Amino acid sequence: MKKNGQPQNTNRTPGMMTLIAIAMMLVSLLVMFILCLVPGRSANSRNPVLLVYGDDSNFPVLSMENSMHAIGFDVETADESYVFDEERNYIIMGVGEYAFNYVDAYKEQPEVKGFVLVCPGMPASEIMEGMSGTYPSREIAIFAGKDDASKVSDMGSARVIYERISGDDTVYGTPITRGGKFSSKVYINNIQTRYLSLSFAKIKDADKFLFSPLFQNELAGYLSTTYQDLTIRDASFSRINAWYVWALISFFTCLVGMCLYLAALPLIMSDMKQETIHKGEKLSAALIGGISIALAIGTIATTFVEKFRTYASCALCLMPLIFMVIMTFNKSRFILDNKVRYIKKQTRPMRPLFISLTVVLLVFLSLRLFTDLQLVMDLPAMVIAPCIFILDLMCSSALLYADRKSRYMGQGGSSYFGNRVIFLLMLIPSVFAMIFGLVFRLTDIFYAGFAGLTSTLVPFVSLIPLRRHTDHSLIPGIVHAVIYTAVVFAML
């Protein structure tokens, strides 16, 4: 049957393809939820503890817990105020520039049985004085990025530290390599108390190194071999690999299922965007463009001031929200104008609600599995989360309504959700920061740009299916606010 020349689907019974798609999404989300629970199931008070010091950024809680529990270890993060349990054994893992300082601080602690250093910086000479392959008596392992220097003067800190505490020569020594293309180069001293692993990739940021599945697998292999007498269970490397494999399979299966489900639904509206700037949007476009260019220039300036660089990620992650506030103020008169009455199309509520719930769960569970949702900022999370959520909800709902109303009046797409030019202007500072950081090898600037790009793209892209299958503004606004808040917590 046709109405106004357009075919209408009057069959309310879902087809076989739709049912298959729904089953794929539900099963995938269930698997992802189970994977979030699995890592914490093997904790045991008799397990030795991998105690992580020096990590003041996001930490891969779930994946690291799964990897450590698979070999019979527990994992905890700590600071200098941590109180050791006399009944347990500890392996200290120092992360970052001052990692070796923890060797000096805890080398006589009886509960500490060994040390792991991740991308350590060169310590002061007095700290390393007297240290060798036999002192301290605990094993010391060092993990760092690629270092192929053929001269001692060009070697990185990790290799220099290893040579000084082991007496080995890494320039003329022959490393051990295991695996294929992504194998690390490993040096072990003769009495097997010192261990150095250099990754296949040049990695300087220790915090990001911890998220690598390859690093976690190699770390698990080292700990399970070196401290086998401390554990109460056999190592299971298949569990480590299976966790990552199932996480990726379930994520992509859910995406495929969602595509199949959406393909069978009739569109409420097209996603055609406006290619030019409306007269009423020129002010907000000029402000967004000016701020974007200023941020791009400011990215260069931050490289000269270390304190400013620490706030680059925060600024770029929150910039999309600032842009949305600007656009909302600019469109407020249009939104509140009652001269033209905007009439929503009548749609069944179950479909947009199902799409909303699926999209939110997919994004949230993915972030939970592969990132850390603990906010690392001076402000309390309980304060900043409601502020971000409420402000984003108000702005995204208002801008969605403005876009719907603009299309209804025949003016085309409007503002953030309907004007491609404005959206591309929002990407300028993050893309520039990524390119600038990559070219000049400034990893913190590169990751700041990546965080900003993710905070801009993920909420926008996640909302596309819902915007095309519902004519309402509040439900998509809630979805956008939830996803944006979760992404900000994952990136910061």
Side-chain angles (χ1 to χ4, degrees):
M1 181 174 67
K2 290 187 178 184
K3 183 178 181 181
N4 297 330
Q6 297 296 325
Q8 301 292 317
N9 183 11
T10 59
N11 184 14
R12 292 175 175 266
T13 304
M16 182 60 67
M17 186 61 69
T18 301
L19 294 176
I20 293 175
I22 292 175
M24 290 174 64
M25 288 187 285
L26 294 178
V27 171
S28 299
L29 292 174
L30 178 61
V31 171
M32 295 176 74
F33 178 74
I34 293 174
L35 290 175
C36 289
L37 300 178
V38 165
R41 301 293 294 177
S42 303
N44 193 306
S45 59
R46 294 187 295 164
N47 288 341
V49 180
L50 180 69
L51 200 59
V52 183
Y53 281 91
D55 182 70
D56 56 357
S57 184
N58 287 331
F59 183 76
V61 177
L62 287 182
S63 58
M64 187 64 79
E65 275 191 353
N66 180 72
S67 298
M68 293 301 99
H69 287 167
I71 61 170
F73 271 71
D74 288 348
V75 59
E76 298 179 20
T77 56
D79 55 24
E80 285 72 11
S81 62
Y82 185 88
V83 178
F84 290 90
D85 184 351
E86 296 179 357
E87 302 297 325
R88 306 196 70 173
N89 297 310
Y90 295 87
I91 310 300
I92 300 292
M93 184 163 79
V95 179
E97 184 70 18
Y98 303 103
F100 197 87
N101 291 16
Y102 299 106
V103 177
D104 181 63
Y106 297 109
K107 61 179 182 292
E108 303 296 340
Q109 186 77 25
E111 294 85 7
V112 175
K113 306 303 180 182
F115 298 91
V116 174
L117 311 180
V118 181
C119 299
M122 196 64 201
S125 56
E126 59 269 19
I127 292 179
M128 299 187 65
E129 186 176 351
M131 293 194 180
S132 63
T134 56
Y135 181 79
S137 59
R138 281 81 166 173
E139 286 85 356
I140 301 177
I142 304 173
F143 294 84
K146 184 178 181 180
D147 186 352
D148 289 333
S150 57
K151 298 180 180 178
V152 176
S153 58
D154 296 332
M155 291 193 310
S157 301
R159 285 180 67 183
V160 174
I161 292 173
Y162 172 77
E163 289 195 352
R164 291 192 181 183
I165 64 175
S166 69
D168 283 4
D169 186 342
T170 60
V171 175
Y172 298 103
T174 303
I176 301 170
T177 57
R178 297 186 181 90
K181 185 177 180 180
F182 304 113
S183 60
S184 301
K185 292 182 178 180
V186 176
Y187 298 87
I188 306 175
N189 67 340
N190 292 333
I191 57 177
Q192 298 184 359
T193 59
R194 305 292 181 256
Y195 178 99
L196 172 66
S197 173
L198 300 175
S199 173
F200 75 97
K202 291 184 177 181
I203 301 173
K204 296 181 180 180
D205 194 328
D207 295 328
K208 305 301 183 294
F209 199 16
L210 299 180
F211 284 85
S212 168
L214 297 176
F215 164 73
Q216 292 190 22
N217 208 306
E218 186 176 358
L219 173 65
Y222 167 78
L223 293 176
S224 64
T225 302
T226 307
Y227 305 102
Q228 186 176 9
D229 57 327
L230 300 180
T231 60
I232 59 174
R233 54 170 296 177
D234 294 332
S236 175
F237 293 96
S238 59
R239 170 176 168 174
I240 301 175
N241 298 327
W243 191 88
Y244 279 103
V245 170
W246 277 110
L248 291 173
I249 288 177
S250 57
F251 173 76
F252 286 108
T253 302
C254 190
L255 283 182
V256 172
M258 184 174 293
C259 291
L260 292 175
Y261 175 77
L262 296 174
L265 297 181
L267 294 181
I268 301 300
M269 58 173 290
S270 67
D271 201 39
M272 182 175 60
K273 300 186 188 319
Q274 186 73 20
E275 299 288 351
T276 58
I277 302 295
H278 285 306
K279 181 179 179 181
E281 294 181 332
K282 288 186 177 180
L283 177 60
S284 61
L287 285 173
I288 292 171
I291 294 173
S292 296
I293 295 173
L295 272 176
I297 298 173
T299 299
I300 302 175
T302 58
T303 60
F304 302 102
V305 183
E306 185 69 26
K307 187 175 181 180
F308 289 164
R309 291 169 65 173
T310 60
Y311 294 102
S313 294
C314 181
L316 291 175
C317 282
L318 296 179
M319 198 51 57
L321 185 57
I322 296 175
F323 288 151
M324 290 176 65
V325 171
I326 294 173
M327 286 183 281
T328 302
F329 274 108
N330 184 63
K331 299 294 292 184
S332 58
R333 181 177 297 180
F334 176 76
I335 293 169
L336 299 174
D337 185 9
N338 292 323
K339 292 181 180 179
V340 177
R341 185 185 177 189
Y342 170 54
I343 303 175
K344 298 182 179 68
K345 297 177 182 178
Q346 296 298 321
T347 57
R348 299 173 62 186
M350 289 304 298
R351 283 177 178 174
L353 289 175
F354 177 75
I355 296 173
S356 301
L357 187 60
T358 304
V359 170
V360 168
L361 286 176
L362 176 61
V363 174
F364 179 80
L365 291 175
S366 300
L367 294 176
R368 186 76 179 92
L369 287 172
F370 299 112
T371 67
D372 179 12
L373 293 178
Q374 182 178 354
L375 189 68
V376 183
M377 288 181 65
D378 296 333
L379 293 174
M382 295 300 294
V383 173
I384 195 170
C387 294
I388 293 176
F389 175 81
I390 293 173
L391 192 56
D392 186 277
L393 172 60
M394 295 171 60
C395 292
S396 57
S397 298
L399 293 174
L400 279 162
Y401 177 80
D403 182 50
R404 298 286 195 264
K405 187 175 181 179
S406 178
R407 294 171 188 265
Y408 181 78
M409 296 171 61
Q411 297 179 4
S414 170
S415 200
Y416 173 57
F417 293 106
N419 195 305
R420 184 177 284 113
V421 178
I422 292 179
F423 178 70
L424 292 176
L425 289 174
M426 295 172 62
L427 300 177
I428 290 176
S430 299
V431 173
F432 180 83
M434 287 186 65
I435 296 174
F436 185 81
L438 187 64
V439 171
F440 293 96
R441 297 182 179 180
L442 300 170
T443 56
D444 49 356
I445 298 298
F446 173 83
Y447 286 122
F450 176 77
L453 187 66
T454 304
S455 300
T456 306
L457 280 177
V458 172
F460 182 86
V461 173
S462 300
L463 212 63
I464 291 177
L466 186 58
R467 289 195 295 115
R468 300 182 70 180
H469 292 89
T470 181
D471 208 26
H472 292 270
S473 301
L474 181 58
I475 295 176
I478 294 173
V479 173
H480 189 279
V482 170
I483 292 177
Y484 177 71
T485 305
V487 171
V488 169
F489 271 61
M491 293 295 106
L492 295 181

